[in-house]
Amino acid sequence: MLRVQSMIPIIIHSVFFCGMATVAIAGFLARIHYLTHHAKPHGLGRTAWIYWPTQISMIVAAIAVWTLAYQFFAMKDFPVVSAWSCTLMGAAWVAAAILNKYEHHYEIRSSSAIFAFYVTSICGALAILQTALDPGSGTDYSVTPLVVFTLALTTGFIVEAWPRGNTRIQRSSNVGMYGKANLLSRLTFWFFTPIISIGLDRILTAEDIKGQLPKSLEAYTGYKRLSRAWDEALQRHKRSSSTTSKETSPSLFWTVLKNSWEMLIPVLLSRVAIVLFSYTLPVLLKELLGYLEDHESKPVSYGVTLALGMFTASLFASLLNTYNRYQMLTLGVASRSALISMIYRKALRLSAGSRNEASSGKIANHMSVDADQWWNAIVYISMWIEIPLALFISMKMLYNLLGWSMLAGVLVMLSLLPLQAWQARVFQSIQSGKLKAMDERMRLTTEVLSSMKIVKLYGWSTAFLRRILEIRNQELAYLRRIGVVEAFMSIIFISSSLIISLVTFAVYALWGGPNFTPGTLTPQTVFVSMTLFAMLKGPIASLSDATTSTIGVLVATRRIQQFLLKEEVNEADVVRSEFLPGNPLDPVISIKNASFSWASPSQYELRPDPDERTALLATNDDPHNILVPTLQSIQLTVPQGSLTAIVGRVGQGKSSLLSAMIGDMYKLKGQVELCGLVAYVPQQAWICNATLKDNILFGNEYDEAKYRHVLFACGLEPDIAMLPGGDMTEIGERGINLSGGQKQRVSLARAAYDDADIYLLDDPLSAVDAHVDHHLWENLIGPSGLLGKKARVLVTHGTHHLREMDQIVVIKDGAIQERGDYSHLMGSKKDFYRLIKEYTVLERRRSHTTIKRRQSKDTPAEGVSATGEENDSENPSTVGEAVTDQDTSDDEAKGPSEPLRNTNAVLIGAEKMKEGEVGFDVVLYYAKEASYRITATIVVLFLLAQGCLVSTSLWLKHWIKVSKETEDGESQSVFMFLGLAVARIRASERIHSHLLEKVFRLPMAFFDTTPVGRIINRFSSDIFAVDVRIPNKLIDICLFGISVASTLLLIVFTTPSFVVILPFLLVGYWFVEKCFLSVSRTLARIYIISKSPVYQHFHESLGGVSTIRAMKIQERFIEKNAAMVDRMSNNFLSNMGSRRWLDVQLRILSTVVLLCAALFAVLQRDSMDPSLVGLTLSFALTITEEVTSLVRNFCDLQNQLVGLERIIEYTDLKTEAPDTTDVLLPSNWPSEGRISFKNYSTRYREGLDLVIKNVSVDILPSEKVGIVGRTGAGKSSLTLALFRLIEAANSYWAKESDNSRSLVADAALIDILDTDDSDDEECGGYIEIDGVDISTVGLEDLRRHLAIIPQDPTLFAGSVRDNLDPFQELEDADLWEALERAHLKEIISGLAGGLAFEVSSNGDNFSVGQRSLICLARALLRKTKILVLDEATAAVDVETDELIQKTIRKEFADRTILTIAHRIKTVMDSDKILVLEKGRVEEFDRPSVLLRKEESLFYRLAEQAGEI
């Protein structure tokens, strides 16, 4: 015994001084090396009142401990270990002083290493001091140096730990709060308290939480590291594949983990430390129970020390656990940001084949769902270190208590492992299927939402709704299977610790004694074992979560990996140089014997069938359908400053040639070289959601003179004068509030301002009027224009500018048939000559027909509409002058050009964020969708199951066998979890269905003002929360809530004194929850709202990826993406920081429960049964985690309910009129096609001016009416009104479908809307078709009885049949007949599958002209008397235009046709011309009558177009 006592000081010195000092010296030296070689000095100086006191305290501490070492060395029989331990400790503090110097030079916060060394050194010194002062220790040396050492360190620690927020250095630094916090502040999350304080005073804003994201976690930093690691992994894989025949691929999952090893290793080591600290509690509990059984032999102070020890160990483990969890989250956020950056960059590099495989919706899922799995992935991955260690320690301690009997429990546990493996295998398979179904659902949803105007015009909402719901049902089937698997596995793992403990105690009671005699169950044995089994419950139950989540991360990462491994554009296909050739005679574009294809080169060898896109562009003469290149043997040079035209018929490869130049196509052979900067103007203008000015500048520096010159050259000055905010007007997503012509001219202005050397222009003049065409040619594109000295390659369907071309290239069947100037090609009398002659004949024929029609109609038309008197108040000359600078294209295609009243020209407002707590009505909504009956049954089953578990604990106290209640509890649990599976699927199905149906029925104004990314966010992350996160949180709340309640009741029952502190604890819990909820809901909403711009920008980038790549501005968009991701990550960490702050407060309160229970046991040791104490403390030890989990899950549920709240926000919006009504229409309605506008007025939405004003027009049956007018005149508005995409002003449905107040985030705008005194409160009139007021007809009934060929020919992913007949109502013969009349039968029949041929997303595997012909076929299939042509021939060549016009004249001869066109010649042969000006009828008469009036607006337009 004396020998052991004499060894205690040596052991303490070895552990507390020698061990700590050795580790500290190594760590300090490593830290000094890092700072001097990798860190940058902050340059802000140092805080003297902190630096010098800490330096002095360290030196004093070193001298004091060396003095103690000198005493040891001076002793005769000196303890060698003690002497050298003190020497090392002194050296460690000298090293700390040196490190402190560097820390103040490089860092603005307290050193975590020095901070931790202060704490451990003080604790070690106190332990040694306590031992030295013990009367029985036999100390024979002076303890004064040890006291000085302790006091010096305590003084230094107080200064080191002092908050530095008010120091000059931290005030001058732009580092966030987390970056300034010391280790203690981070452990207790004290640094987050200022945000909590702000949240208690007012609603938090995004500005209040800036700076939470450390620089090391920013997207660009993470991307650089992960991208480098992934590239190295790919290189290693290539080297290994060359030496082995195995077909493997590198693992992105392991690459992410290895890339984070510097942060991951400390995280994992701290998880080990947390486990070790946690398992000191059963040891201390055993000692405390032993003391209570024999308390007379030891003083009360010993029991109090044990109680305080349990409190300290629990508190330290809790703080470390919270800090560690936050570190894991930051690591997960860094991984997520890096993956999103890699996905975004990859999306900008995809080849043509890869882009066909990966739709926008699917790639969005990679960002929003797959990458999002990583934010908490490290938490579950670390469990695979924590769980085995916890199981090993538990088993070892159980063996010490129960001997070999614990093997019974081990065998039960091992029997669960096969089930775990089965669950992993099954769950992975189900999860993969679910994600595929979700990808398909999101792809189709994104496509439909992006083209909602077309869907509504065709009346196809029901068809697409049905298709999406069918895919959703497949997704729910997978969810249902996941729910069943989780239900049974949850039963097994939750009850496993109880089963293990019962089996182990039974074996111990029967054979656990010596020689297999019955074992003796003592309070120590039973309740320490109970505690260990309860602690086992966590790791065992976590196995299910760890397995599920790890598999989820693996599957998600594998999906990302497959995307990252997709084929990229080969940059070497096109040799690009940023500089012009030194010799002016050298060409800037040189293509030598090159062939290109949209299909991968490998498919030419492996697939005999034609590729989708190539087949469309190839000839159909080959009976074997051999796959041929899209462009073959191209030989072309473009000199500097030249103007080259690319001409040819539809589908011959004109646009493909430009795509080949910018590297979008596969190069099969040959050489392509571009010298100089490139600007690209696509056929369909790409406009960003930004101001008009920003769309033009496009990241370039602002030059006033240059900017004004570009605006004039592009004819944009009059348009800007009309816009509400001038050039600072916000342009909506996809240019939603610009006309087709305006969008194209903005696209041209962007290219012109970029001041490039090469301009690739893909038919930009097709969308503009004749006079605007002339203006653009003279001032921008032509020889005397702004770009006159640049190399220009112009794809054109027009022929009027060809004489001025330096070079004309004729494309036919993917090859250059002719090349030369106009006179040369006309002289050769080949394809170009025939094309020009055919055009001339067509024009002559059309002109002759027009003259005949005019001569035959010599009687004057009926009078102009009632609004004709407005001409008296208009100045004709002013009107004419205005028209000369405007195009008459699709003026209000998707939104108004009229001013927004007092809204600063903002179209796309900030997303609305609710304030305050998530209402209980949101929870009731979920319960209603899940079924109230099922919900109530589940709660009752939870109560019964918990009652059974508590009864088992009481049975252990009274030493009786397991009652039948426990067995009943298992069956109840089975029904409970199965009921949860049923409820969650029902809720998910109904909520998604309601959301989808409501969004499909929202008025068009909603889609005009809401970015698609914002809507998609509801269908992706918010629906994911409903499918997975909300039900999981509800399960956890029920489990933990009932468990905590039963635990508190049991403690009160066994220890009545606990009632005294219970109210204080409850008040503490309430106050902490109140503080947390004051900020958490707002932080969750800020975070969720910050996600939408990421997805919106992503969709926007994908839409313009060709332009981005051609102009080589990828880095600019990548930087913008990174900034948005960083903002999202910052808001996410703020949200998570609030949760960790909550964790700390709850754990401190819960450790107080443990301390009180232990102190009551010690102080009332004479009157309490040790078994009661054991039962109470065993429950008290688990309450920390349970209370923390309960409150955290409750608050998490509040945050997840924000997603459901956002869904409800959309489901509460007002819809447009019903699809069907009680009005009975004749089966052949409309039978005549008479259209009457009766004093009709309309606006796009509340707060806007009228776009149509008091229009009264009668259109007779079978009459052909051309509608013309300048931008903003109301041409397209009239057609939208006919289809009821907009309603009559102040009509019932105009008011009932108005959501302008519901979606406005700015209260000031709401006030403006509320106080808006419109000057026209009277009813906006009505429209009749064949005498039926269309406002009384259902929308689907109306729209399906009208036909339209829209300006933007839109196709959807699916078969050709689906695009022609989505309702599957027609026979194949009808479809082939329509295709034949639309001149498409040969093309479609030549495709693989014919009508079953798969159309790619957005119809990308068809040319724009072919898409227009498919839209014509759709119109032919509609057996209706009314047809609307909305700029239908804008994007086709003259021959195809004539084909369409010929078909229309023949097939629609007996139908009423309304034609909106900017080519005046298109409407010259109309029966009547309707001229609109500022929403009013300016003129309405026969063309011959209007052309006889030289003062008429139509006369001026015809004169400008050269038709007179």
Side-chain angles (χ1 to χ4, degrees), residues 1372-1415:
D1372 283 2
D1374 297 328
L1375 302 182
W1376 284 117
E1377 182 184 353
L1379 290 172
E1380 184 176 16
R1381 288 188 287 168
H1383 311 283
L1384 275 174
K1385 185 175 181 179
E1386 289 186 10
I1387 294 176
I1388 301 300
S1389 61
L1391 301 177
L1395 291 174
F1397 176 77
E1398 284 295 315
V1399 180
S1400 66
S1401 181
N1402 301 317
D1404 287 340
N1405 52 347
F1406 285 85
S1407 72
V1408 175
Q1410 288 165 336
R1411 287 181 235 167
S1412 296
L1413 293 175
I1414 291 176
C1415 291

Side-chain angles (χ1 to χ4, degrees), residues 191-477:
F191 70 91
F192 205 82
T193 304
I195 292 179
I196 301 292
S197 300
I198 295 173
L200 287 172
D201 293 337
R202 60 174 174 81
I203 299 296
L204 286 172
T205 65
E207 292 294 319
D208 296 323
I209 57 175
K210 278 187 175 180
Q212 294 294 312
L213 183 71
K215 290 284 184 183
S216 60
L217 301 183
E218 289 182 349
Y220 180 67
T221 305
Y223 164 76
K224 283 197 303 183
R225 294 186 56 184
L226 182 57
S227 179
R228 184 169 58 247
W230 179 238
D231 290 341
E232 292 172 357
L234 291 175
Q235 292 301 321
R236 286 195 302 270
H237 168 66
K238 288 181 181 177
R239 289 194 295 268
S240 63
S241 334
S242 60
T243 59
T244 180
S245 59
K246 289 184 178 179
E247 289 293 333
T248 59
S249 59
S251 172
L252 179 62
F253 176 81
W254 289 110
T255 303
V256 173
L257 292 182
K258 291 175 185 177
N259 180 63
S260 309
W261 71 270
E262 292 180 355
M263 292 178 64
L264 186 59
I265 289 178
V267 162
L268 297 180
L269 290 177
S270 61
R271 294 308 302 171
V272 173
I274 291 167
V275 173
L276 295 177
F277 273 106
S278 299
Y279 278 92
T280 60
L281 292 172
V283 175
L284 292 172
L285 175 61
K286 181 181 178 183
E287 290 295 320
L288 183 59
L289 291 176
Y291 163 75
L292 293 176
E293 285 186 329
D294 188 21
H295 58 271
E296 295 178 354
S297 62
K298 294 180 181 178
V300 177
S301 59
Y302 181 76
V304 172
T305 302
L306 289 174
L308 291 173
M310 293 176 69
F311 169 76
T312 304
S314 178
L315 179 62
F316 191 76
S318 297
L319 294 178
L320 188 59
N321 183 60
T322 304
Y323 176 67
N324 173 262
R325 191 175 181 88
Y326 186 75
Q327 290 298 105
M328 289 190 288
L329 289 175
T330 57
L331 183 55
V333 166
S335 301
R336 179 181 68 174
S337 298
L339 286 170
I340 289 177
S341 296
M342 290 183 70
I343 292 168
Y344 184 80
R345 284 167 167 81
K346 182 70 178 184
L348 297 181
R349 299 195 301 265
L350 289 177
S351 66
S354 298
R355 274 190 286 170
N356 281 338
E357 295 172 3
S359 65
S360 299
K362 188 172 182 179
I363 304 174
N365 268 346
H366 291 320
M367 297 179 70
S368 63
V369 178
D370 295 337
D372 202 53
Q373 297 272 359
W374 271 94
W375 74 264
N376 64 345
I378 307 299
V379 175
Y380 294 104
I381 292 171
S382 68
M383 287 182 179
W384 296 108
I385 300 292
E386 179 183 354
I387 290 173
L389 179 62
L391 293 176
F392 172 77
I393 295 175
S394 297
M395 292 303 171
K396 181 64 174 68
M397 296 177 71
L398 283 169
Y399 181 79
N400 294 336
L401 284 169
L402 302 172
W404 67 267
S405 302
M406 54 81 59
L407 293 176
V410 174
L411 292 175
V412 174
M413 190 181 303
L414 291 176
S415 68
L416 299 177
L417 294 181
L419 287 173
Q420 190 77 23
W422 172 82
Q423 182 204 13
R425 187 170 59 255
V426 171
F427 189 82
Q428 184 172 7
S429 172
I430 298 173
Q431 185 77 353
S432 297
K434 175 188 173 295
L435 290 174
K436 287 180 181 177
M438 183 180 68
D439 281 345
E440 180 63 18
R441 173 176 64 83
M442 289 306 304
R443 180 200 62 75
L444 184 56
T445 303
T446 303
E447 194 172 9
V448 173
L449 290 176
S450 300
S451 306
M452 185 54 75
K453 178 186 174 185
I454 300 298
V455 173
K456 287 182 178 292
L457 285 172
Y458 282 119
W460 284 355
S461 298
T462 303
F464 281 107
L465 184 70
R466 186 170 61 242
R467 285 176 59 185
I468 294 174
L469 289 179
E470 286 173 359
I471 300 171
R472 174 64 174 172
N473 287 334
Q474 297 174 17
E475 186 181 357
L476 289 173

Side-chain angles (χ1 to χ4, degrees), residues 1027-1101:
D1027 287 349
V1028 178
R1029 291 172 180 161
I1030 290 176
N1032 286 347
K1033 293 302 175 186
L1034 286 171
I1035 292 171
D1036 290 342
I1037 286 173
C1038 289
L1039 284 173
F1040 289 117
I1042 296 173
S1043 179
V1044 167
S1046 60
T1047 299
L1048 288 175
L1049 290 174
L1050 192 59
I1051 293 175
V1052 171
F1053 173 74
T1054 56
T1055 314
S1057 305
F1058 187 76
V1059 176
V1060 177
I1061 66 163
L1062 185 58
F1064 298 100
L1065 289 172
L1066 293 177
V1067 169
Y1069 285 129
W1070 171 80
F1071 180 73
V1072 168
E1073 182 197 6
K1074 180 177 181 295
C1075 291
F1076 172 72
L1077 289 179
S1078 68
V1079 299
S1080 67
R1081 288 183 295 263
T1082 304
L1083 292 175
R1085 287 164 178 151
I1086 290 174
Y1087 164 61
I1088 290 175
I1089 287 174
S1090 67
K1091 291 170 69 175
S1092 295
V1094 176
Y1095 308 138
Q1096 178 186 343
H1097 177 253
F1098 174 74
H1099 282 288
E1100 195 172 72
S1101 301

Side-chain angles (χ1 to χ4, degrees), residues 1411-1469:
R1411 287 181 235 167
S1412 296
L1413 293 175
I1414 291 176
C1415 291
L1416 174 61
R1418 288 174 181 167
L1420 289 167
L1421 289 169
R1422 287 273 174 100
K1423 309 300 183 183
T1424 176
K1425 283 291 186 178
I1426 297 175
L1427 172 66
V1428 177
L1429 303 177
D1430 191 358
E1431 307 271 8
T1433 59
V1436 297
D1437 59 272
V1438 292
E1439 183 185 17
T1440 306
D1441 187 4
E1442 177 59 24
L1443 282 175
I1444 294 176
Q1445 297 299 334
K1446 180 180 179 181
T1447 301
I1448 290 171
R1449 283 192 294 269
K1450 177 182 177 182
E1451 303 293 341
F1452 301 100
D1454 60 340
R1455 304 189 192 185
T1456 304
I1457 300 178
L1458 305 182
T1459 304
I1460 300 172
H1462 57 261
R1463 296 177 181 175
I1464 296 298
K1465 58 180 174 290
T1466 305
V1467 296
M1468 288 294 286
D1469 60 348

Side-chain angles (χ1 to χ4, degrees), residues 536-680:
L536 265 179
K537 181 179 177 180
I540 294 174
S542 297
L543 274 173
S544 178
D545 288 340
T547 303
T548 301
S549 300
T550 303
I551 290 172
V553 174
L554 282 169
V555 172
T557 310
R558 192 175 298 121
R559 282 158 46 85
I560 296 175
Q561 176 177 319
Q562 291 170 355
F563 173 73
L564 294 178
L565 291 175
K566 285 188 181 295
E567 186 182 46
E568 297 182 4
V569 168
N570 187 356
E571 299 288 346
D573 282 354
V574 178
V575 179
R576 295 277 296 266
S577 170
E578 293 185 1
F579 305 101
L580 289 171
N583 186 351
L585 300 179
D586 290 341
V588 290
I589 300 177
S590 174
I591 304 177
K592 299 179 181 178
N593 194 31
S595 294
F596 305 91
S597 174
W598 289 108
S600 173
S602 61
Q603 298 183 35
Y604 286 84
E605 303 169 2
L606 302 178
R607 269 184 48 188
D609 295 332
D611 173 74
E612 297 173 358
R613 193 163 196 153
T614 304
L616 291 172
L617 303 179
T619 60
N620 294 308
D621 301 330
D622 192 339
H624 301 292
N625 242 353
I626 296 175
L627 190 65
V628 296
T630 308
L631 298 172
Q632 304 178 63
S633 303
I634 301 297
Q635 195 82 23
L636 178 65
T637 57
V638 177
Q640 298 183 41
S642 67
L643 179 54
T644 300
I646 311 292
V647 299
R649 293 181 171 87
V650 168
Q652 300 303 302
K654 303 184 297 299
S655 297
S656 294
L657 182 57
L658 295 192
S659 297
M661 291 179 184
I662 62 178
D664 272 2
M665 297 179 70
Y666 293 102
K667 186 183 74 174
L668 305 180
K669 66 174 185 177
Q671 297 178 353
V672 183
E673 185 174 357
L674 273 70
C675 300
L677 300 176
V678 177
Y680 175 60

Side-chain angles (χ1 to χ4, degrees), residues 881-895:
E881 291 166 4
V883 171
T884 60
D885 286 326
Q886 299 294 327
D887 61 354
T888 59
S889 54
D890 179 12
D891 47 345
E892 308 88 7
K894 290 192 177 182

Side-chain angles (χ1 to χ4, degrees), residues 1194-1213:
F1194 177 76
C1195 296
D1196 284 349
L1197 176 65
Q1198 287 270 318
N1199 296 332
Q1200 294 300 334
L1201 285 173
V1202 171
L1204 179 56
E1205 181 183 60
R1206 284 154 50 84
I1207 290 174
I1208 295 173
E1209 177 189 356
Y1210 275 18
T1211 59
D1212 285 344
L1213 293 176

